[in-house]
Amino acid sequence: MNKITTMLIAAGLTGSLSACVATSESVKTTPDQKSAPVAVAPVSPDVEKTGDTNQTITLNQIMSDPAWLGRQPENMGWSVDGSELVYERERENSELNDVYAASVASPAQATKVPLSELHRYRYDERVESLDGQYTAYRFEDSVFVLMPTGENVQLTRGGAALENLHFMTDNRLMAQSGNRIIAIDLQTGRREQLISWTFAEEPEAVSEPEDFVASEQISLIEYIAKRRKDRQDRVDEADALAKQNSAVAPEPFYFDESDRLVAATVSPNGKTAIVVTTEDTSWRGDTDIMPHYIQEDGRIDSKNVRRRVADAKPQSDTIWLIDLTEQTKTELSYVQLPGYNEDVLAEVKAENAKAKGETYEVNRLPRDIGLLDSWYWREPSIRWHDNGDQVAVMLEAWDNKDRWIATVDFEQQSLVSQHRLHDDAWVNYRFNQFGWLHNSETLFYQSEHTGYAHLYLQEPGQSPRALTRGQFIVDNPVVTRDDNWIYYTANKKHPGVYEVYRVNTDSGESQALTDLNGMTDFSLSPDESTLLLAHSKVTRPPELYVKAANTNSEPTKITDTISGKFLSMPWAVPQVIAVPSSDASQPVYARVYLPENYQEGEPRKAVIFNHGAGYLQNAHLGWSGYFREFMFHSMLVQQGYVVLDMDFRASAGYGRDWRTAIYRQMGTPEVQDLRDGVDWLVENANVDRGRIGTYGGSYGGFLTFMALFTDPDLFQAGAALRPVTDWAHYNWGYTSNILNTPDVDPIAYRKSSPIYYAEGLESALLINAPMVDDNVFFQDSVRLVQRLIELEKENFETAIYPVEPHGFVQPSSWLDEYRRIYKLFETNL
């Protein structure tokens, strides 16, 4: 059985790391009804140390094309008919991927799928009819249907694209084609237009007279009156014909010509549609551009980029309920949503007004509300029940403080709030699945209202029922067709260990389906009998496993793709520790990389790595997306460094309070956590407080700035890579969650942006800036450099990367970047 070391850290932990390590024992699952321990650490990954310790880890090797690690499986899934498991691997000496497939009976004997058969294994959409007879799917520009006979029929090849596939209750296939939704009878091939729409002024047969003269003309001249009546009769006749004769398609629905479509969907029974529109405002201005200097023609190209949060304007959506039988449309009001007109930012606005010597009065104006379409959420926000008699919509407030799940009362033509998730900071949209059970009018959804993302069921007229509970995160829920189970992943055993579970929707009993320790994800086969697993460990990239979708079988490993060269290297094996926090009730989980005999000799130099994305988890026991950094840290350890990689506050995996600690003060809690990390290194890992550096990219670059600028004695050197320097210049989707918007909350932006603290720089600073970064603009670094020049700072350097986007691509750029980082530490530590 896999082994992991666990223990509770006592309050005020001090002393050597060896004193913190308990005897190895299996990590046990924390029952749903109990809270996880406050601090579990340290954890030793259950991997064997391999590799030749005489080999030297070099930057040239670890920053070269990562194909040398082995070509790991990616994008796992199932063939269209569900009979074979499918995954991809990068083609040797190419950026392209090849697709591989294997039967469940012989899962380790995968073969490469020929291009001629690729449409049977990969798809962009896949839907099944309610009775299971038909499977429809879209591949590239074609739509196929697996018939009950087993025949694979190609419905389209090119032409007008069909997308957003759904089956109707009568087994017709629905699809959107441009500005219309059609239904296709798979037996006869007959196509019917269910709805169409256009954004234009609706033509009128007759209109009201514009003035007195026109009114008198109509009443006095019989010829004019007759022409008006004839026109109206023709329109009435056409409307009646469309309603009574199936050979005629109904007229399109007209919407304001200044609007655009957000979503359109028809109920499975074909009776009702939901259309969502919004004002057609451009999010790009003339100055939202980025120059790209290195082009084939030797000229400069100008790329369009997103607008800044400082330029964001409030926006609402309009939801239309369409009766397809009567051909009528009704706007649904948000008045029924609890809190629809609360002034949720009143305190923030009052604080900012006071800073300007003004006063603010609370208002009760309706808030800007629309379909959920956030930074993290890209799933459909309108969900029909299979029977077509119910529909649920997920809505968000533009101010990010509320998320509603509402159903629609078709008779009353109104929204009915089923669940309101409010957060005084911001709502977490990452763990946010919702929908209907198949065989009852019961909603399931995820909510973070207890502080952790969990699963809930809501039956009509009843209070929500929790299916999971505890201090852990639930993710990736999948409901079985019989509604008996919901499969999911969770970090129950330890914040850094993710396993696969399923919960019974009736009893609420959860069952652990894997015990692999590390990071494990799953894909449930279409027949719901088999789990395809992707599992990784801290020193091992992901490999694939299969197991029966029950508790009675063990996973079987089916891929072995890691290269011999990678296995031969003497990688450091980090432990996951819990650093006591001086500012929070929970510890700060971190990976610590320790050289052999680290307690012996003079105090050592150390580096703290700051991960990017802000809301990301890296102190886990699986393979990290920061694999180059893992290898770089191993190189530093081989040279005697100690390395710490912290999941500072704002990181994912630790619940709502950890996430929202940075609300309106980005960079303050995190730097406090970094100071706790420095203290831990000094007290437990024989580190010299005067020889510690830090580095990180994106959010990690921002945090490097904040540490060096606001706590100058903390680090002796820092490298900020592709860094944010002023949050007013970042995007709306991410930043407005945490800092509101600059027009509403300038205090938060000035408090959280490094450019306002640049005068605090004392230690050595390296700024590495890619020039074609459409995420964090190159301008961020340019403005800060100018600020440092004006402040007459001397101890900083800047490196630019002319062809690199936010995530570097060229191995030569990676090598150059990390040579500079390494030189910074070697010179200053």
Side-chain angles (χ1 to χ4, degrees):
M1 182 175 290
N2 293 321
K3 301 294 183 180
I4 290 186
T5 307
T6 63
M7 70 167 291
L8 294 178
I9 287 190
L13 174 66
T14 58
S16 70
L17 180 66
S18 58
C20 306
V21 181
T23 306
S24 289
E25 60 182 42
S26 297
V27 169
K28 303 298 183 184
T29 300
T30 304
D32 283 357
Q33 65 272 20
K34 296 180 181 178
S35 294
V38 170
V40 179
V43 175
S44 300
D46 59 334
V47 295
E48 295 180 4
K49 263 196 169 182
T50 59
D52 180 3
T53 56
N54 293 320
Q55 283 201 67
T56 300
I57 303 174
T58 66
L59 284 174
N60 292 71
Q61 177 71 64
I62 63 180
M63 296 300 159
S64 61
D65 188 320
W68 75 272
L69 283 71
R71 295 172 292 117
Q72 275 68 58
E74 306 173 46
N75 303 323
M76 67 177 179
W78 298 88
S79 60
V80 171
D81 64 5
S83 64
E84 295 180 83
L85 59 91
V86 183
Y87 58 90
E88 298 175 20
R89 292 183 69 190
E90 186 177 286
R91 187 178 301 171
E92 195 166 2
N93 299 319
S94 172
E95 292 183 354
L96 301 176
N97 277 9
D98 290 319
V99 177
Y100 293 82
S103 68
V104 176
S106 304
Q109 299 176 14
T111 57
K112 180 179 172 181
V113 175
L115 292 178
S116 60
E117 295 296 308
L118 199 58
H119 64 285
R120 297 179 182 272
Y121 296 90
R122 300 274 81 171
Y123 46 83
D124 300 296
E125 295 183 70
R126 180 186 181 278
V127 291
E128 293 184 15
S129 61
L130 300 183
D131 59 10
Q133 290 192 68
Y134 300 92
T135 298
Y137 65 98
R138 178 168 60 87
F139 173 80
E140 299 289 342
D141 60 355
S142 298
V143 173
F144 296 82
V145 177
L146 287 180
M147 305 296 283
T149 60
E151 184 183 6
N152 195 13
V153 176
Q154 185 170 0
L155 288 183
T156 67
R157 183 186 182 192
L162 298 183
E163 55 187 356
N164 299 327
L165 307 179
H166 296 279
F167 272 102
M168 303 182 72
T169 52
D170 59 6
N171 275 356
R172 287 187 295 167
L173 177 65
M174 276 194 299
Q176 181 176 336
S177 177
N179 68 331
R180 61 193 181 122
I181 294 176
I182 62 172
I184 305 171
D185 188 316
L186 298 178
Q187 293 297 324
T188 66
R190 178 177 178 268
R191 298 189 177 203
E192 176 187 352
Q193 179 177 292
L194 301 175
I195 185 176
S196 65
W197 55 87
T198 186
F199 292 90
E201 185 175 348
E202 184 172 1
E204 293 181 295
V206 295
S207 57
E208 292 296 319
E210 295 182 0
D211 54 23
F212 174 79
V213 172
S215 177
E216 294 302 292
Q217 180 81 340
I218 293 169
S219 64
L220 290 172
I221 306 299
E222 184 178 338
Y223 164 75
I224 296 297
K226 185 177 185 304
R227 287 185 61 189
R228 286 170 62 86
K229 180 180 182 301
D230 290 345
R231 292 202 307 270
Q232 187 63 57
D233 287 346
R234 286 195 296 270
V235 170
D236 292 343
E237 182 72 6
D239 288 344
L241 182 64
K243 288 182 179 180
Q244 299 175 35
N245 192 317
S246 61
V248 180
E251 287 291 306
F253 285 91
Y254 288 87
F255 298 95
D256 193 306
E257 59 187 343
S258 64
D259 287 353
R260 62 175 175 83
L261 183 72
V262 176
T265 179
V266 173
S267 63
N269 59 24
K271 297 178 181 178
T272 314
I274 299 289
V275 175
V276 184
T277 63
T278 194
E279 185 180 358
D280 189 12
T281 56
S282 173
W283 273 84
R284 285 196 175 95
D286 293 339
T287 61
D288 294 322
I289 57 173
M290 176 180 66
H292 194 332
Y293 291 93
I294 309 298
Q295 299 295 313
E296 289 186 16
D297 62 5
R299 273 54 172 191
I300 300 173
D301 190 16
S302 179
K303 306 283 188 182
N304 288 329
V305 292
R306 49 92 180 154
R307 303 203 77 175
R308 295 159 174 79
V309 64
D311 298 324
K313 299 292 186 289
Q315 198 161 357
S316 282
D317 294 344
T318 303
I319 302 179
W320 300 93
L321 176 63
I322 311 292
D323 186 322
L324 294 177
T325 303
E326 299 296 326
Q327 289 292 294
T328 59
K329 66 177 184 179
T330 305
E331 181 180 346
L332 298 180
S333 171
Y334 294 131
V335 171
Q336 290 81 7
L337 300 178
Y340 84 98
N341 65 341
E342 285 184 17
D343 193 354
V344 294
L345 282 166
E347 290 186 10
V348 169
K349 293 175 180 177
E351 180 186 345
N352 279 274
K354 184 179 179 180
K356 295 187 293 184
E358 302 171 356
T359 58
Y360 175 78
E361 293 188 9
V362 174
N363 73 67
R364 284 289 184 177
L365 296 174
R367 296 158 72 185
D368 292 288
I369 297 171
L371 275 193
L372 182 61
D373 182 22
S374 82
W375 179 260
Y376 290 109
W377 177 254
R378 289 294 179 266
E379 298 288 333
S381 293
I382 304 172
R383 303 289 176 91
W384 290 96
H385 191 279
D386 290 345
N387 60 25
D389 294 332
Q390 292 283 348
V391 66
V393 295
M394 184 173 282
L395 303 167
E396 65 171 333
W398 196 83
D399 53 46
N400 308 305
K401 304 294 187 282
D402 276 287
R403 181 211 73 181
W404 297 271
I405 296 174
T407 53
V408 178
D409 185 324
F410 297 143
E411 291 186 3
Q412 298 298 319
Q413 297 181 327
S414 63
L415 293 172
V416 180
S417 179
Q418 300 295 336
H419 182 259
R420 176 193 183 187
L421 177 60
H422 175 81
D423 197 307
D424 289 338
W426 77 93
V427 171
N428 183 6
Y429 298 123
R430 176 167 164 182
F431 305 104
N432 210 48
Q433 286 291 343
F434 82 111
W436 298 93
L437 296 190
H438 303 287
N439 305 299
S440 68
E441 293 186 348
T442 299
L443 282 165
F444 78 90
Y445 57 82
Q446 289 180 277
S447 175
E448 204 185 37
H449 70 266
T450 62
Y452 289 82
H454 284 292
L455 282 170
Y456 297 85
L457 292 182
Q458 180 137 351
E459 299 171 1
Q462 302 294 316
S463 298
R465 175 165 61 94
L467 288 179
T468 60
R469 57 180 64 83
Q471 292 184 351
F472 57 87
I473 302 299
V474 169
D475 200 8
N476 304 318
V478 176
V479 182
T480 57
R481 285 192 298 272
D482 60 11
D483 294 336
N484 288 339
W485 300 97
I486 299 180
Y487 287 77
Y488 63 94
T489 57
N491 58 347
K492 294 184 185 184
K493 300 195 296 189
H494 180 280
V497 176
Y498 286 79
E499 303 284 4
V500 181
Y501 302 84
R502 67 178 182 181
V503 60
N504 186 277
T505 56
D506 184 35
S507 67
E509 175 196 1
S510 274
Q511 298 176 347
L513 301 178
T514 63
D515 186 27
L516 292 169
N517 293 322
M519 298 290 282
T520 305
D521 200 1
F522 75 94
S523 177
L524 183 64
S525 63
D527 66 4
E528 300 177 351
S529 67
T530 308
L531 289 172
L532 178 58
L533 307 172
H535 173 72
S536 69
K537 297 191 183 299
V538 69
T539 63
R540 295 291 185 271
E543 298 285 10
L544 299 184
Y545 297 69
V546 294
K547 76 176 296 293
N550 56 47
T551 59
N552 302 321
S553 65
E554 293 295 322
T556 300
K557 186 178 179 182
I558 63 171
T559 63
D560 189 6
T561 60
I562 304 173
S563 71
K565 179 64 175 176
F566 177 83
L567 293 174
S568 72
M569 301 296 288
W571 306 120
V573 182
Q575 292 181 316
V576 175
I577 62 169
V579 175
S581 172
S582 60
D583 192 65
S585 60
Q586 296 287 328
V588 187
Y589 285 86
R591 288 183 172 189
V592 61
Y593 297 73
L594 297 165
E596 292 186 10
N597 306 316
Y598 65 93
Q599 292 284 21
E600 299 176 5
E602 294 296 318
R604 296 173 179 263
K605 51 192 174 184
V607 168
I608 294 183
F609 170 67
N610 308 312
H611 68 67
Y615 196 57
L616 176 147
Q617 186 176 10
N618 203 43
H620 54 70
L621 275 78
W623 183 248
S624 171
Y626 292 101
F627 61 90
R628 290 182 181 87
E629 287 75 7
F630 159 75
M631 295 188 289
F632 179 56
H633 298 162
S634 293
M635 187 193 87
L636 292 178
V637 166
Q638 193 177 52
Q639 297 182 26
Y641 284 78
V642 175
V643 180
L644 194 66
D645 176 356
M646 304 187 76
D647 275 346
F648 42 79
R649 274 172 290 177
S651 298
Y654 306 96
R656 181 264 174 196
D657 291 349
W658 203 255
R659 172 177 62 84
T660 62
I662 61 170
Y663 178 57
R664 303 187 67 218
Q665 56 171 2
M666 297 169 79
T668 298
E670 306 97 298
V671 172
Q672 292 169 344
D673 295 341
L674 294 181
R675 179 163 284 280
D676 290 334
V678 167
D679 291 342
W680 190 94
L681 288 171
V682 173
E683 296 169 5
N684 296 279
N686 191 29
V687 166
D688 183 345
R689 189 181 295 274
R691 301 173 67 202
I692 306 177
T694 189
Y695 83 106
S698 194
Y699 196 96
F702 149 76
L703 188 50
T704 298
F705 282 144
M706 291 298 277
L708 266 60
F709 295 174
T710 67
D711 201 348
D713 67 330
L714 192 57
F715 298 109
Q716 286 65 59
L721 326 174
R722 43 200 174 276
V724 175
T725 67
D726 187 342
W727 287 108
H729 289 253
Y730 199 54
N731 66 30
W732 173 81
Y734 177 84
T735 319
S736 66
N737 281 329
I738 306 170
L739 301 180
N740 303 309
T741 53
D743 61 319
V744 169
D745 199 1
I747 289 175
Y749 281 80
R750 294 187 184 110
K751 187 174 184 178
S752 302
S753 297
I755 198 167
Y756 293 100
Y757 302 94
E759 66 275 6
L761 178 63
E762 295 179 7
S763 300
L765 170 63
L766 170 65
I767 304 171
N768 284 0
M771 296 182 70
V772 287
D773 188 341
D774 60 0
N775 184 356
V776 179
F777 296 153
F778 180 60
Q779 185 189 19
D780 265 60
S781 294
V782 171
R783 293 178 68 237
L784 181 66
V785 167
Q786 179 60 26
R787 180 89 175 108
L788 293 172
I789 292 170
E790 292 175 357
L791 290 168
E792 299 181 2
K793 297 294 181 180
E794 300 179 41
N795 202 16
F796 74 94
E797 292 182 351
T798 307
I800 61 172
Y801 296 88
V803 302
E804 293 298 348
H806 191 64
F808 279 23
V809 176
Q810 304 302 318
S812 56
S813 298
W814 281 106
L815 179 60
D816 182 88
E817 178 173 60
Y818 275 78
R819 277 176 172 167
R820 294 176 186 275
I821 297 169
Y822 179 61
K823 180 180 179 181
L824 174 78
F825 293 149
E826 284 292 278
T827 302
N828 294 282
L829 303 185

